[in-house]
């Protein structure tokens, strides 16, 4: 659930950044959408993997959110850079795209989205929250 929340927050944040700055997130002509897609898939995988490791313990700590957020943002950045290198075959273009993500604020959006969604995942685990249930779904016979 939190991985989907991370994706939704990241897409919303990147879209809002693009509208606010009136610029593309990756503004290299002829590059296409592949680097952005690959970077987001890698970011979601890293987010989900590290969050899964963090919440496996009985009482996960909120300080793991920093690790989740930083690793996710770095994974996104590196994924986009490598995908750009594969698409264009030029190392400098990959570095330029990575630098544009950092200076344009996209990496900060990914970091913030991962931090918020990671915090939610840890909070859900710490409170032992479950899915919402209708009164007739509860095991308690007096709850209806």
């Amino acid at each position: 659930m939190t991985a989907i929340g991370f994706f939704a927050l990241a897409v919303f944040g990147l879209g809002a950044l693009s509208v606010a700055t009136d610029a593309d997130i990756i503004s290299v002509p002829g590059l296409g959408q592949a680097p952005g897609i690959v970077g987001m898939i890698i970011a979601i995988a890293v987010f989900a993997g590290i969050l899964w490791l963090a919440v496996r313990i009985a009482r996960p700590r909120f300080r793991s959110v920093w690790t989740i957020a930083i690793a996710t943002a770095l994974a996104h950045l590196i994924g986009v850079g490598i995908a750009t290198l594969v698409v264009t075959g030029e190392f400098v273009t990959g570095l330029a795209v990575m630098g544009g993500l950092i200076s344009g604020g996209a990496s900060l959006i990914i970091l913030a989205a991962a931090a918020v969604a990671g915090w939610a995942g840890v909070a859900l685990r710490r409170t032992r929250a479950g899915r919402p249930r209708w009164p007739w779904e509860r095991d308690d016979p007096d709850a209806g």
Side-chain angles (χ1 to χ4, degrees), residues 2-4 6 42-52 68-69 72 113-115 117-118:
T2 55
I4 295 169
F6 161 68
I42 291 171
I44 292 168
V46 167
F47 173 84
I50 295 176
L51 180 65
W52 179 74
I68 293 166
T72 301

Side-chain angles (χ1 to χ4, degrees), residues 67-127:
T67 304
I68 293 166
I70 292 170
T72 301
L74 285 175
H76 178 263
L77 191 64
I78 293 168
V80 169
I82 290 173
T84 302
L85 175 64
V86 169
V87 169
T88 64
E90 298 175 2
F91 186 73
V92 174
T93 304
L95 288 177
V97 168
M98 291 169 67
L101 290 174
I102 293 169
S103 65
S107 290
L108 184 61
I109 298 291
I110 298 293
L111 181 83
V116 169
W119 182 88
V122 171
L124 283 172
R125 176 71 168 103
R126 284 178 63 104
T127 60

Side-chain angles (χ1 to χ4, degrees), residues 2-71:
T2 55
I4 295 169
F6 161 68
F7 177 72
L9 285 172
V11 168
F12 171 76
L14 293 173
L17 177 67
S18 180
V19 168
T21 60
D22 196 27
D24 292 333
I25 299 297
I26 300 175
S27 60
V28 175
L31 187 58
Q33 296 178 355
I37 293 168
V38 169
M40 190 55 73
I41 290 170
I42 291 171
I44 292 168
V46 167
F47 173 84
I50 295 176
L51 180 65
W52 179 74
L53 289 173
V55 299
R56 286 186 63 200
I57 60 176
R59 187 131 169 100
R61 303 194 186 279
F62 283 108
R63 65 178 169 217
S64 64
V65 171
W66 292 108
T67 304
I68 293 166
I70 292 170

